[in-house]
Amino acid sequence: MKRVMVLVSLAFLLPAPLPASEPVVPAEEPLVTADVPRPVISEIVSEDQSTERGFAGVVQGENVVTLAFQTSGRLATLNVDVGDVVARGDVLATLDGITLEEDLAASRAALSAAAAEARLGRQQFDRTTRLVELGVATTAALEQARAYRDATAASLRSAEAQLSQAEDAAAYGTLLAPREGIILSTQAEPGTLVSPGTAILELVDVLGREAVIDVPTEYVTLLPRRAIFDVR
């Protein structure tokens, strides 16, 4: 802290000289002695209010990617924390494998049942068609058999789609690091039910990071051009 001292001295008044015709009588004692201090006015001036200040900020990356599962399920494990450095192919999180296997088994069973119903629907329609040709069955019975055949065929296609989703879920139940990077944030906890696209964590490249700090204007004007900051 710099101190600037401003000194103000007091002038001493001396008596005016007497006319030459009158003798000058010297004073018996001086008005002041050399030992009496002169009054001064001082002011303390500071160019900087503090030698060190802390300001909050955030670390941002140039290439940030949000990672999510491509399937739904219950988050079983989250193997990383914020700040961890990961390599390409590292396992970051997994879904509940038991639930996924159960869903896969249930989808396979549903597909088997739907396939049997669809096969029965086709057989009934073919038999009814022959009976109509023989004049034994009515046209209404044929329409009913056709409707049943079409319904079971639709159920079969739905079961096939569900099985495909279950197989994808079992395959996509592990979340891998697409590249080397640093875990910037985690947005889910183990036990959470997630759907496809739900953000699990954010990954940023190892290079290209920057700290964004909000510094008040009154301090910016006091900073040198190449000020060095300690990021903690």
Side-chain angles (χ1 to χ4, degrees):
M1 181 176 293
K2 298 182 179 179
R3 300 176 179 269
V4 177
M5 309 294 293
V6 180
L7 304 180
V8 178
S9 62
L10 298 180
F12 297 93
L13 300 178
L14 298 177
L18 298 176
S21 59
E22 296 181 4
V24 178
V25 180
E28 296 180 357
E29 296 180 357
L31 296 178
V32 294
T33 64
D35 296 331
V36 178
R38 298 179 180 182
V40 299
I41 300 174
S42 64
E43 181 180 4
I44 300 175
V45 179
S46 174
E47 294 182 358
D48 194 356
Q49 301 298 324
S50 176
T51 58
E52 181 177 349
R53 283 279 181 173
F55 302 100
V58 294
V59 176
Q60 296 180 348
E62 297 180 357
N63 299 315
V64 180
V65 58
T66 301
L67 301 182
F69 287 100
Q70 300 182 35
T71 184
S72 60
R74 186 180 299 276
L75 185 61
T77 62
L78 186 62
N79 304 326
V80 292
D81 294 318
V82 175
D84 287 352
V85 179
V86 298
R88 178 186 177 91
D90 285 353
V91 178
L92 306 180
T94 61
L95 296 178
D96 187 356
I98 296 178
T99 302
L100 294 176
E101 290 297 331
E102 290 176 349
D103 292 343
L104 183 59
S107 297
R108 287 170 176 167
L111 177 61
S112 178
E117 288 288 333
R119 185 167 52 253
L120 178 61
R122 291 193 301 270
Q123 292 173 354
Q124 288 186 358
F125 176 77
D126 293 341
R127 183 170 59 254
T128 304
T129 299
R130 289 194 298 269
L131 293 177
V132 170
E133 292 174 352
L134 296 174
V136 178
T138 64
T139 304
L142 180 62
E143 293 299 326
Q144 184 177 1
R146 179 181 290 106
Y148 179 69
R149 181 201 63 182
D150 294 343
T152 55
S155 297
L156 176 60
R157 291 191 296 270
S158 177
E160 290 172 344
Q162 291 179 357
L163 176 59
S164 178
Q165 293 177 357
E167 291 174 343
D168 290 342
Y172 296 136
T174 301
L175 189 62
L176 304 178
R179 61 172 181 262
E180 183 183 7
I182 300 175
I183 302 300
L184 188 61
S185 67
T186 58
Q187 303 177 18
E189 297 292 336
T192 304
L193 288 174
V194 299
S195 56
T198 300
I200 304 300
L201 50 84
E202 288 183 323
L203 181 69
V204 62
D205 283 347
V206 177
L207 302 178
R209 291 173 293 167
E210 60 182 3
V212 179
I213 305 172
D214 185 12
V215 180
T217 305
E218 56 269 25
Y219 290 100
V220 173
T221 57
L222 300 176
L223 294 175
R225 292 189 59 184
R226 298 184 180 276
I228 299 176
F229 293 87
D230 182 15
V231 180
R232 303 173 182 175

